[in-house]
């Protein structure tokens, strides 16, 4: 049976669920708030601020957002280290802005708790401690080093030193308490989620085993009568063939084989669960298994492998993980849905990487959604014509989202692109036209013969006759 236990999700994987777009949106909100606060402080209350430096601090955030928007795709999800750098950047920017506007004399110093709370909710414990320690250091420096707040008349706005010390103590305690509190609640929620997921997978696996046992029981029940008839008839033949040893031996063999069929049916369930060779298969065999439901839908599916990858006999043997099979099946389904006539599935492998490319001769992905492919509920791949050509088709966003999520869980990285001429119907000079989906794994993630993935190659247990 294919491996079905995904394992509990690590905190570092969860931190990779946060989209860059979400962090950019939150930063825009902070930028607008900072600009409003600076404008009100100067125009309504006449405070003398170092506006050049203040606007420089805000401008750095604006530039950072613009760079992120233009460089990265809209659906990019940040890795643990990238999320950490984003939070630290916001923390340092806020600290610099507070240093220009009175330090702990500024009531907006309370906002230092925001990045700490976010890090406790989405990052690992180590990253959360680093962000919390950075916040405490910044708060400590702000208590001593900051530009004074001056009114329009030149009067100094500052609170007594005792209150400054009290603000410092309160912020330090709040950083520690809120960070610890948020982290604890988040861990509890994640633990419960993991437990429910593990329970669901165990129930699903058990259901499959139960269904398999039911099929075997039904087969044994249906075959019981003919096997009993064969056994009875062979016994009668043995009695009638007492004087013909050769024919009697044939009748005895028939009786023996009927008994063996009964024992095989009885032991098949247990032996099937322990079959070592069902846990892995050659790369192209797994690909063909994934694509099989869609190869008879009127489109030609071609399987090729890069000549540079080596001969067919050297192809890697990979784990038959359900997330790999189901993810590839969704990608092939999407390609068949939109292909004119042909879908190409091309494999390539090296000592370090295993790559699959799934291509079709359709019109490709619309340029306006190319950066958001893999997000759920992207409704149409070809605006307008796709609805006309296949009006019953509800959309491809959820299917690609499931495929992307499952394949990334197996360690793969996915990229979506279009050929240079989406209106060409055949490859030209080795370059495919239409939609191109590339799936790439580090080889050690799915190769069944490497490291912790290695499947024992011993003989399967023999079914006793």
């Amino acid at each position: 049976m294919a491996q079905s236990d995904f394992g509990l999700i690590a905190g570092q994987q969860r931190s990779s669920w946060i989209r860059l777009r979400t962090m950019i949106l939150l930063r825009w909100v902070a930028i607008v708030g900072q600009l409003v606060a600076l404008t009100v402080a100067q125009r309504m209350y006449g405070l003398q601020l170092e506006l050049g430096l203040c606007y420089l601090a805000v401008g750095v955030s604006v530039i950072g957002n613009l760079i992120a928007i233009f460089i990265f795709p809209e659906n990019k999800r940040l890795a643990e280290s990238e999320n950490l750098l984003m939070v630290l950047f916001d923390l340092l920017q806020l600290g610099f802005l507070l240093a220009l506007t009175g330090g702990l004399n500024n009531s907006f110093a309370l906002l230092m708790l925001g990045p700490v709370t976010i890090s406790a909710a989405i990052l690992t414990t180590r990253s959360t401690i680093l962000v919390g320690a950075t916040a405490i250091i910044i708060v400590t420096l702000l208590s001593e080093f900051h530009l004074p707040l001056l009114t329009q008349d030149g009067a100094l706005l500052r609170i007594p030193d005792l209150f400054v010390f009290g603000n410092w103590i309160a912020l330090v305690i709040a950083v520690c308490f809120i960070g610890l509190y948020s982290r604890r609640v988040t861990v509890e929620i994640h633990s419960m989620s993991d437990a429910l997921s593990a329970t669901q997978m165990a129930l699903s696996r058990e259901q499959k085993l139960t269904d398999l046992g039911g099929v075997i029981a039904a087969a044994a029940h249906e075959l019981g009568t003919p096997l009993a008839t064969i056994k009875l008839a062979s016994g009668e033949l043995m009695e009638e063939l007492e004087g013909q040893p050769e024919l009697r031996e044939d009748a005895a063999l028939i009786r023996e084989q009927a008994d063996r069929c009964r024992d095989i049916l009885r032991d098949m369930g247990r032996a099937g669960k322990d079959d070592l060779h069902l846990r892995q298969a050659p790369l192209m065999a797994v690909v063909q298994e994934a694509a099989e439901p869609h190869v008879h839908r009127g489109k030609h599916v071609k399987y090729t492998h890069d000549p540079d990858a080596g001969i067919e006999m050297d192809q890697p043997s990979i784990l038959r993980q359900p997330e790999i099979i189901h993810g590839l099946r969704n990608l092939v389904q999407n390609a068949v849905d939109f292909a004119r006539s042909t879908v190409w599935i091309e494999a390539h492998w090296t000592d370090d990487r295993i790559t699959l490319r799934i291509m079709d001769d359709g019109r490709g992905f619309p340029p306006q959604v190319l950066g958001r492919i893999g997000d759920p509920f992207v409704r149409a791949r070809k605006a307008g014509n796709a609805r006309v050509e296949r009006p019953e088709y509800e959309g491809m966003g959820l299917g690609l989202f499931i495929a992307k999520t499952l394949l990334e869980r197996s360690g793969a990285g996915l990229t979506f692109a279009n050929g240079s001429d989406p209106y060409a119907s055949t490859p030209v000079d080795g370059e495919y036209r239409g939609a191109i989906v590339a799936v790439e794994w580090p080889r050690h993630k799915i190769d069944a013969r490497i490291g912790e993935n290695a499947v024992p190659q011993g003989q399967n247990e023999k079914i006793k006759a």
Side-chain angles (χ1 to χ4, degrees), residues 373-406:
I373 294 176
D375 285 350
F377 313 124
V378 178
R379 282 298 178 188
R381 173 161 149 187
K382 173 84 172 60
N385 290 346
R387 291 290 185 181
V388 175
E389 294 171 3
R390 301 183 64 240
E392 77 283 359
Y393 189 64
E394 294 297 333
M396 66 165 202
L398 190 58
L400 282 183
F401 171 75
I402 294 173
K404 187 172 184 287
T405 302
L406 290 176

Side-chain angles (χ1 to χ4, degrees), residues 4 48 63 69 98 105 122 167 211 245 247 251 348 369 433:
S4 61
Q48 298 183 27
I63 293 173
I69 290 173
L98 288 172
N105 295 287
I122 66 173
N167 285 344
D211 292 344
L247 296 178
H348 175 75
V369 302
R433 315 299 186 180

Side-chain angles (χ1 to χ4, degrees), residues 429-441:
D429 298 330
E431 183 179 355
Y432 292 94
R433 315 299 186 180
I436 301 174
V437 181
V439 187
E440 182 173 310
W441 292 271

